[in-house]
Amino acid sequence: MSPLPGAELVRSSVQLYRYLLRCCRRLPRGHVQQHYRHAIRQSFRVHADEDDPERIQQIIKRAIEDADWVMNK
């Protein structure tokens, strides 16, 4: 089960970015939200130059799995 409905529709990095930021809204306010929002932005910047479609799909899949783990934690 994914953290938010629509995870299966995420196909691009921009869609992933928006999806993960929406997941953050469900976390407790304050430092927890700030930490994960910062981590999402940093990861997006680190992988911004990725151009291999297969690698991008791997990153998207892993990010959704990680978001699921965080939301269930």
Side-chain angles (χ1 to χ4, degrees):
M1 178 170 182
S2 57
L4 284 179
E8 65 280 351
L9 301 175
V10 173
R11 299 282 181 246
S12 71
S13 56
V14 173
Q15 290 173 334
L16 176 65
Y17 185 74
R18 293 180 66 201
Y19 173 80
L20 294 174
L21 289 178
R22 279 191 226 108
C23 286
C24 278
R25 291 183 198 153
R26 299 181 73 197
L27 295 172
R29 294 189 189 270
H31 295 294
V32 174
Q33 265 189 11
Q34 290 174 358
H35 169 77
Y36 284 106
R37 288 175 66 91
H38 178 73
I40 291 165
R41 289 183 179 121
Q42 288 298 100
S43 292
F44 187 77
R45 287 184 190 118
V46 167
H47 297 291
D49 61 345
E50 188 66 57
D51 58 357
D52 179 21
E54 186 175 315
R55 176 71 178 130
I56 292 170
Q57 290 306 311
Q58 289 174 347
I59 293 169
I60 289 171
K61 183 176 183 273
R62 179 60 193 247
I64 291 172
E65 289 170 359
D66 290 348
D68 187 29
W69 182 83
V70 168
M71 298 302 287
N72 289 325
K73 187 169 112 172

